Amino acid sequence: HTVLSLLTMFWLARSLNINRLAAFFAGSAFAFSSYRVQHMYGHLSLTTTEWIPLYLLVLIKLFKKDIDREPISATKQSVILGILFAVTMYSHPYYAIQLVVASVIFVVVWYTERRRIPGHKTIATLVIAGLIAGLLIFPVFYPMKQHSGDYSSAVSKNEKYIRGFSADLMSYVVPSPYHPVWGSIIKEKMFGENGIVGGPNEGALNLTVTLFLLGSVAFVRQRKMGYWKVLILVGLFLSLGPQVVINGNQTGISLPYL
């Protein structure tokens, strides 16, 4: 999964006209992120991230086509998009939900920047992708939903449980508790019982200094990053869960959450 995640992120970056070296760096940063590496110790299904860049690549490629002039080609792309969504759902439902959010944001930003609304052929293409995905996942996930209804409902209403799996703002900036140099100190000082939410497992989300600085520069300087900027901000916002928490301390700032 790590090699495939690197490869598909490399492809996505290259499709955005990024040079090979920078694309390889993007793929490496994605594949070896703190989040992915930490979940190699457990929750292995969460390391199946290779489908996410591939789905986004196909989605962007689909919208770059002239759907009105190339309906057959666009239909093929929409079928592939639906299949990729289904594969992602089978890999882990969390990522499928994230792809729905990412897709909605993409469509809104795409047409907002162009100051027009999607035509009926575009809508039909997206509907086809949705139907393909639905047909592929229905046989397995509908029975699962039927049997897990009460449990899922109880968990979704348990804010304390959800907060334990949400991101602490500090977890994005402090080194990983498994860092070869700072790990033991960080784990003792910041990942204790009253420290960063999620503990040393779910709370290991460090972006690294290099990524943070490069990402910040790109965020400020690159003007043609509308979609990616919105996606980053929405993703960060949703990752915080029902309430903003800083180093284990609840701020009282409530947030909408999925």
Side-chain angles (χ1 to χ4, degrees):
H1 296 301
T2 299
V3 174
L4 288 174
S5 293
L6 190 158
L7 185 60
T8 56
M9 182 55 77
F10 173 83
W11 288 342
L12 175 59
R14 289 290 291 155
S15 73
L16 298 172
N17 299 320
I18 296 174
N19 66 61
R20 291 181 182 273
L21 182 60
F24 179 78
F25 181 83
S28 300
F30 178 67
F32 296 99
S33 63
S34 297
Y35 168 82
R36 285 199 76 265
V37 171
Q38 178 51 38
H39 282 95
M40 290 179 188
Y41 290 93
H43 296 163
L44 291 178
S45 59
L46 289 173
T47 65
T48 58
T49 52
E50 62 268 24
W51 306 110
I52 298 173
L54 204 55
Y55 175 93
L56 293 175
L57 190 158
V58 174
L59 178 65
I60 294 170
K61 189 176 180 180
L62 173 63
F63 274 78
K64 283 184 176 180
K65 286 181 175 294
D66 189 333
I67 296 176
D68 290 331
R69 295 184 179 181
E70 303 178 71
I72 296 177
S73 179
T75 301
K76 290 179 180 178
Q77 293 285 345
S78 68
V79 171
I80 295 173
L81 196 67
I83 292 172
L84 286 173
F85 182 88
V87 172
T88 304
M89 186 73 170
Y90 279 111
S91 297
H92 206 295
Y94 290 174
Y95 295 147
I97 295 171
Q98 291 170 10
L99 288 185
V100 171
V101 175
S103 299
V104 171
I105 293 172
F106 178 82
V107 173
V108 171
V109 172
W110 178 273
Y111 285 103
T112 299
E113 289 180 340
R114 287 156 182 77
R115 297 182 179 180
R116 57 192 178 94
I117 60 175
H120 66 278
K121 289 186 178 180
T122 301
I123 296 173
T125 301
L126 295 176
V127 169
I128 291 172
L131 288 175
I132 295 294
L135 288 172
L136 290 174
I137 66 178
F138 181 82
V140 172
F141 283 92
Y142 180 74
M144 286 178 60
K145 177 64 178 176
Q146 293 294 98
H147 288 286
S148 65
D150 293 339
Y151 173 77
S152 298
S153 178
V155 168
S156 66
K157 295 176 182 177
N158 189 330
E159 185 175 315
K160 184 178 180 181
Y161 176 86
I162 295 171
R163 195 161 55 239
F165 287 93
S166 300
D168 187 311
L169 271 178
M170 287 297 292
S171 64
Y172 285 114
V173 295
V174 301
S176 166
Y178 299 97
H179 191 282
V181 178
W182 308 109
S184 58
I185 299 174
I186 292 296
K187 192 171 184 178
E188 180 182 351
K189 298 292 185 181
M190 306 199 72
F191 284 90
E193 184 177 347
N194 297 315
I196 289 177
V197 171
N201 296 320
E202 299 297 333
L205 301 172
N206 177 257
L207 296 175
T208 75
V209 174
T210 304
L211 285 181
F212 181 78
L213 291 177
L214 289 176
S216 298
V217 170
F219 194 92
V220 173
R221 296 185 62 181
Q222 293 294 328
R223 296 181 178 180
K224 296 181 180 180
M225 285 182 59
Y227 169 61
W228 304 107
K229 289 180 179 180
V230 175
L231 188 62
I232 289 170
L233 292 175
V234 172
L236 175 62
F237 183 76
L238 292 177
S239 74
L240 300 177
Q243 186 175 162
V244 176
V245 177
I246 303 176
N247 196 30
N249 299 308
Q250 298 181 36
T251 61
I253 303 174
S254 298
L255 300 171
Y257 61 95
L258 296 178

